[in-house]
Amino acid sequence: MDYLPLFFKLEGQPVLLVGGGSVALRKATLLTRAGAKVSVVSHEICPELDALLAQHQGEAIIGEYHSALLDGKGLVIAATDDNELNSRVHFDATERSLPVNVVDSPDLCTFIFPAIVDRSPIVVAISSGGKAPVLARLLRAKLETWIPSSYSHLSSLVGRFRHAVKARFSTTNQRRIFWEEVLQGQIAEKVFAGRHDEAEQMLQAKLDDNTERHTGEVYLVGAGPGDPELLTFKALRLMQQADIVLYDALVSPKVIDLCRRDADMVFVGKKRDNHAVPQEGINELLVKHALEGKRVLRLKGGDPFIFGRGGEELQKLKEHNIPFQVVPGITAASACSTYAGIPLTHRNYAQSVRFVTGQLKNRTSDLNFDELVHPNQTIVFYMGLHSLPHLSSELIRHGKSADTPAAIVSRGTRPEQKVLVGTLADIAEKQAQAQLEAPALIIVGEVVELHDDLAWFGEEVLQEHQADLLPRG
């Protein structure tokens, strides 16, 4: 290692900062957050830095730097654009064995400022040893998305109970198991939801309870339409901590790959006329595994509450008093239309949108077509490929113009996405020739006309002579 990672305790400690510009302001902000007593010396001090010093009882010294300013200091930072001055600060500090940092000059540093993810009291520091600071900042940005801000509250809660847990459990292994259950279970989720009092009460109850845990928890998570980058932060976190995963056919392999590696994976997908596990069986599996004390992830394509039968599954869990939480996903209508360059609403074309299932119980369709044919309205049909001829003809029969633009988006947001564009009069015939695969959405409305201009996912330029079947991947 070029540098040994250390954390300085600076609360109440005097620090000298040489320089008064924007770079010095950034360093002073970090130092004051750590509780340091900052003295700044410079011929000019920017107003923001001056205000920061006043707010935190710091000291502003207008004038020349001289080595006597190092007396009594525990840390030194030079943040000027004067190379000669920076070198002098480095020399004076090292002569006194004081830690010194010269901004953007690794050779003059005995310590460096890492990129920081602050979830105090949890703090993560990333450093490239001064060789690639931009890369360190990019890594910090990734960690910012992976570590919820509520980890700050969670770590504080753990800190308050640390001594009580140590007194309750005599061995390190017992304490480890206890804390793993707390940090990966319902108590942590209460903290993440902002319900801190409930979390503290549950933690105290768990500490007082001598019985073993019997009931797990179910996470009903929307996996979105396929692109793993469309997952929410919360979805990814729960996917990483589940003991068993029940996943649908609509969940893309790339999303499944993000689940915890050692979790048991159970396919419960349903396709037309081919149900790996019937819905009633899925409900029973959720109950069974949760009652065994497992953390069960029910991973559904799209959003679990939009044609996902998530409500039915939760009703069954409620009957057995099994705790659960629901994480919304980006529903296919929103994501696939966006990736196809088709806005669902547009003030010149449509002021409302309808989400409709094209497949109802017992293969019947009792849709209210009189409502669907209202003008200035976009219609999105889920699961409608096999009933497309019926849907098209009924819309026309109830007054929708046969020239109304229509599109099919197959495997939307994925590299193999395809878009088929036509009208109500010919979209079924075009699909019969093209045979686009499910999962697919049907979009009906004037907004489909915007596809050619706004399509962005995949090929950058769409030629006029291309067929109506447009690959997007």
Side-chain angles (χ1 to χ4, degrees):
M1 293 185 295
D2 294 330
Y3 293 86
L4 178 65
L6 297 171
F7 288 84
F8 275 90
K9 185 172 180 61
L10 291 179
E11 186 174 1
Q13 296 300 309
V15 174
L16 180 67
L17 177 57
V18 183
S22 59
V23 176
L25 173 63
R26 292 200 298 271
K27 301 305 179 187
T29 300
L30 287 173
L31 293 168
T32 54
R33 281 168 58 183
K37 294 178 62 177
V38 181
S39 297
V40 174
V41 57
S42 180
H43 288 290
E44 294 183 12
I45 297 177
C46 70
E48 296 85 357
L49 179 53
D50 194 45
L52 182 70
L53 293 173
Q55 180 182 355
H56 293 275
Q57 293 76 51
E59 180 184 17
I61 305 170
I62 305 299
E64 288 280 355
Y65 160 81
H66 52 87
S67 61
L69 293 172
L70 298 177
D71 292 345
K73 302 299 187 295
L75 204 68
V76 185
I77 298 100
T80 80
D81 55 5
D82 185 334
N83 293 332
E84 183 178 347
L85 174 58
N86 289 340
S87 296
R88 185 149 50 93
V89 172
H90 166 78
F91 177 81
D92 292 342
T94 52
E95 281 286 295
R96 297 173 181 234
S97 298
L98 287 174
V100 59
N101 175 275
V102 178
V103 178
D104 290 334
S105 299
D107 293 341
L108 299 180
C109 296
T110 61
F111 77 93
I112 55 178
F113 281 89
I116 295 172
V117 178
D118 186 3
R119 301 289 187 266
S120 296
I122 299 295
V123 178
V124 181
I126 309 103
S127 172
S128 66
K131 295 179 175 63
V134 173
L135 179 58
R137 288 197 293 271
L138 291 174
L139 288 173
R140 180 192 65 185
K142 288 183 178 293
L143 290 175
E144 289 278 6
T145 66
W146 294 339
I147 305 175
S149 59
S150 48
Y151 265 43
S152 174
H153 299 292
L154 183 60
S155 54
S156 296
L157 176 65
V158 169
R160 293 197 296 275
F161 279 79
R162 185 175 176 222
H163 293 298
V165 171
K166 190 173 183 179
R168 168 74 169 76
F169 300 104
S170 58
T171 69
T172 301
N173 191 54
Q174 288 175 326
R175 293 193 290 271
R176 178 186 60 79
I177 293 173
F178 177 86
W179 283 125
E180 283 181 350
E181 291 182 351
V182 168
L183 296 174
Q184 297 181 346
Q186 299 172 40
I187 295 173
E189 294 304 323
K190 294 291 185 184
V191 174
F192 298 150
R195 298 157 73 173
H196 306 301
D197 291 341
E198 289 184 47
E200 187 153 349
Q201 292 168 9
M202 290 175 65
L203 181 49
Q204 185 63 60
K206 182 176 179 64
L207 192 59
D208 296 338
D209 188 5
N210 292 320
T211 61
E212 294 185 3
R213 176 174 62 92
H214 295 294
T215 303
E217 185 176 12
V218 174
Y219 312 137
L220 180 58
V221 173
D227 184 347
E229 292 189 349
L230 297 181
L231 288 168
T232 64
F233 297 153
K234 186 172 184 178
L236 185 59
R237 174 168 55 79
L238 296 180
M239 289 164 63
Q240 289 287 322
Q241 69 184 41
D243 301 309
I244 185 168
V245 180
L246 279 61
Y247 65 96
D248 279 351
L250 295 178
V251 181
S252 72
K254 289 185 178 179
V255 170
I256 294 171
D257 285 345
L258 295 175
C259 292
R260 179 175 152 191
R261 292 294 181 187
D262 57 346
D264 293 329
M265 307 298 295
V266 180
F267 175 67
V268 293
K270 298 187 291 292
K271 297 181 180 179
R272 182 180 174 87
D273 300 321
N274 181 17
H275 293 192
V277 180
Q279 185 61 51
E280 293 74 15
I282 295 173
N283 297 345
E284 294 301 327
L285 283 173
L286 293 174
V287 171
K288 172 181 177 292
H289 291 300
L291 291 178
E292 292 173 353
K294 296 177 181 177
R295 292 164 296 186
V296 185
L297 174 67
R298 177 67 173 107
L299 196 58
K300 287 177 169 287
D303 181 274
F305 276 11
I306 299 182
F307 307 127
R309 304 186 73 171
E312 298 175 37
E313 295 173 358
L314 295 189
Q315 286 176 317
K316 179 62 69 172
L317 298 174
K318 194 74 173 178
E319 290 175 10
H320 293 268
N321 296 315
I322 294 172
F324 58 81
Q325 54 184 303
V326 185
V327 182
I330 297 180
T331 187
S334 176
C336 297
S337 63
T338 298
Y339 274 56
I342 302 174
L344 293 180
T345 62
H346 188 290
R347 64 178 180 174
N348 295 331
Y349 297 92
Q351 287 73 54
S352 65
V353 59
R354 291 270 187 136
F355 295 170
V356 184
T357 176
Q359 177 178 312
L360 304 182
K361 279 189 175 182
N362 304 319
R363 296 286 186 262
T364 63
S365 176
D366 56 358
L367 296 175
N368 189 333
F369 285 96
D370 289 326
E371 289 187 359
L372 297 182
V373 297
H374 285 180
N376 303 319
Q377 176 174 267
T378 304
I379 314 167
V380 181
F381 290 100
Y382 290 69
M383 298 171 288
L385 275 187
H386 293 277
S387 55
L388 180 57
H390 172 73
L391 296 174
S392 299
S393 62
E394 285 298 299
L395 286 172
I396 294 172
R397 189 171 73 84
H398 283 78
K400 203 73 173 171
S401 170
D403 294 330
T404 302
I408 299 172
V409 184
S410 168
R411 298 186 176 272
T413 79
R414 308 185 191 191
E416 63 270 26
Q417 173 179 302
K418 290 183 173 64
V419 180
L420 182 66
V421 176
T423 66
L424 281 179
D426 63 15
I427 191 68
E429 181 182 350
K430 288 187 175 185
Q431 167 60 9
Q433 296 175 359
Q435 291 295 303
L436 267 61
E437 298 179 342
L441 283 179
I442 303 163
I443 305 174
V444 178
E446 304 300 327
V447 290
V448 174
E449 293 181 1
L450 297 169
H451 163 74
D452 284 347
D453 289 336
L454 302 184
W456 60 273
F457 181 63
E459 297 179 14
E460 295 183 3
V461 180
L462 305 178
Q463 302 295 335
E464 288 292 332
H465 65 269
Q466 282 183 304
D468 289 312
L469 180 60
L470 302 172
R472 299 275 176 227

